[in-house]
């Protein structure tokens, strides 16, 4: 059997502020190839280039990546402010319906950072543009200076529900993670069960009740050091297993046509 194909949601970017490209971090591709044991395929997140239907048929699963632009607050009924930063409406137009379609079909996806926020918005949830401004909350943003290793270092604990899916998968109710986000969940969307919190109460992990396939979402960046990190590796391994299950199912359906 060929390795399943994982669509990695790309971000719009300008090289030297002139040349437009769709990008995805190399660490995302490495995690999908080396740990999930799937084929990474960067998706240009623009509905003018590929429809949700095209993507569902071309891929066996999706990695909803992090990204500097935020989900536009109009998508959850809020007004845009300076605190919301920059936006990528083309990506919003792909990822939000893609999440809903995957859940309806039972097609697996794994959402991280911005992807975590996209899933929440896709299911009717809301976001706060600057979690650190809320009473009692800490600064979860990426350190502005330092090496890449220092920016992605493990900086805070996440505590999971006893007996929940993250506890069962990772074998622990408390783990250390990196943190590189400004936004965070205010209200969870429909069927979203928050299963992991930072010590300041910020939601860091959730699952979707009654989901037909892998659809875990985390606020941190597990793609960093995924091959050796004891938290990242089980997540990407389980995601790859779900993609293989979907690919086998697709092959069986095609064989019986």
């Amino acid at each position: 059997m060929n390795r399943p194909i994982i669509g990695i949601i790309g971000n719009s970017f300008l090289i030297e502020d002139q040349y437009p490209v769709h990008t995805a971090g190399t660490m995302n591709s490495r995690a999908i190839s080396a740990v999930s044991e799937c084929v990474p395929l960067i998706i240009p997140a623009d509905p003018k280039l590929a429809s949700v239907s095209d993507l569902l048929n071309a891929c066996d699963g999706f990695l909803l990546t992090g990204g500097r632009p935020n989900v536009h607050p109009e998508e959850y009924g809020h007004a845009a402010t300076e605190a919301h930063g920059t936006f990528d409406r083309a990506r919003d137009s792909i990822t939000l319906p893609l999440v809903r379609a995957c859940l309806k079909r039972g097609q697996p996806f794994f959402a991280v950072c911005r992807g975590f926020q996209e899933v929440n918005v896709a299911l009717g949830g809301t976001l706060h543009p600057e979690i650190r401004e809320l009473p009692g909350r800490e600064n979860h943003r990426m350190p502005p200076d330092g090496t890449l290793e220092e920016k992605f270092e493990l900086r805070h604990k996440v505590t999971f529900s006893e007996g929940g899916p993250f506890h069962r998968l990772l074998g622990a109710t408390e783990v250390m993670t990196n943190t590189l986000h400004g936004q965070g969940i205010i209200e969870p969307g429909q069927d979203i069960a928050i299963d992991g919190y930072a010590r300041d109460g910020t939601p860091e992990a959730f699952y979707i009740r009654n989901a037909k396939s892998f659809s875990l979402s985390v606020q941190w960046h597990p793609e960093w050091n995924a091959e050796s990190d004891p938290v990242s590796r089980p997540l990407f391994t389980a995601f790859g297993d779900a993609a293989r299950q979907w690919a086998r199912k697709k092959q069986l359906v095609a064989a019986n046509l």
Side-chain angles (χ1 to χ4, degrees):
M1 175 179 165
N2 294 331
R3 293 199 299 169
I5 296 173
I6 299 299
I8 299 176
I9 301 300
N11 289 294
S12 297
F13 183 72
L14 288 177
I15 296 177
E16 296 182 352
D17 295 322
Q18 287 185 316
Y19 186 72
V21 296
H22 285 111
T23 67
T26 302
M27 65 181 76
N28 292 300
S29 298
R30 285 187 56 86
I32 292 299
S33 180
V35 185
S36 299
E37 298 183 349
C38 298
V39 176
L41 180 67
I42 297 175
I43 299 297
D46 188 335
K48 296 176 183 177
L49 304 177
S51 69
V52 168
S53 178
D54 291 332
L55 299 180
L56 291 169
N57 292 327
C59 300
D60 299 300
F62 298 92
L63 177 63
L64 278 69
T65 59
R68 188 171 297 278
N70 292 317
V71 179
H72 199 287
E74 285 182 1
E75 300 289 352
Y76 48 93
H78 290 193
T81 68
E82 187 175 340
H84 285 94
T86 59
F87 305 112
D88 185 346
R89 300 310 299 269
R91 174 166 168 162
D92 295 345
S93 297
I94 282 287
T95 54
L96 302 185
L98 179 64
V99 166
R100 293 187 284 263
C102 282
L103 289 170
K104 184 175 181 179
R105 287 162 59 100
Q107 195 160 347
F109 64 81
F110 184 23
V112 307
C113 201
R114 175 190 159 115
F116 171 94
Q117 296 162 9
E118 287 170 328
V119 176
N120 188 56
V121 172
L123 298 183
T126 61
L127 305 173
H128 192 282
E130 276 292 352
I131 283 293
R132 61 184 174 179
E133 294 179 354
L134 296 175
R137 299 295 181 92
E138 299 176 1
N139 182 7
H140 289 252
R141 283 192 171 274
M142 177 180 71
D145 302 310
T147 65
L148 201 61
E149 287 76 13
E150 290 168 335
K151 292 178 178 180
F152 279 87
E153 71 178 347
L154 306 182
R155 290 171 51 206
H156 69 54
K157 293 179 181 178
V158 172
T159 302
F160 304 119
S161 302
E162 183 83 31
F166 286 91
H167 178 203
R168 295 196 303 270
L169 182 59
L170 302 177
T173 56
E174 190 174 88
V175 300
M176 288 293 294
T177 73
N178 54 41
T179 181
L180 296 91
H181 66 100
Q183 293 201 132
I185 290 177
I186 301 175
E187 301 166 314
Q190 183 176 5
D191 293 326
I192 284 179
I194 306 296
D195 196 48
Y197 292 89
R199 64 182 180 181
D200 65 354
T202 298
E204 291 282 340
F206 66 70
Y207 64 92
I208 298 170
R209 298 181 185 92
N210 303 315
K212 300 174 186 176
S213 185
F214 188 102
S215 53
L216 299 184
S217 301
V218 299
Q219 183 63 87
W220 68 90
H221 284 264
E223 69 273 20
W224 172 257
N225 202 23
E227 294 175 70
S228 58
D229 183 82
V231 176
S232 300
R233 189 170 185 86
L235 290 169
F236 276 101
T237 298
F239 178 46
D241 291 342
R244 276 180 285 279
Q245 185 176 5
W246 176 266
R248 284 193 293 268
K249 175 182 174 182
K250 189 167 64 174
Q251 286 184 340
L252 288 173
V253 170
N256 290 323
L257 289 178

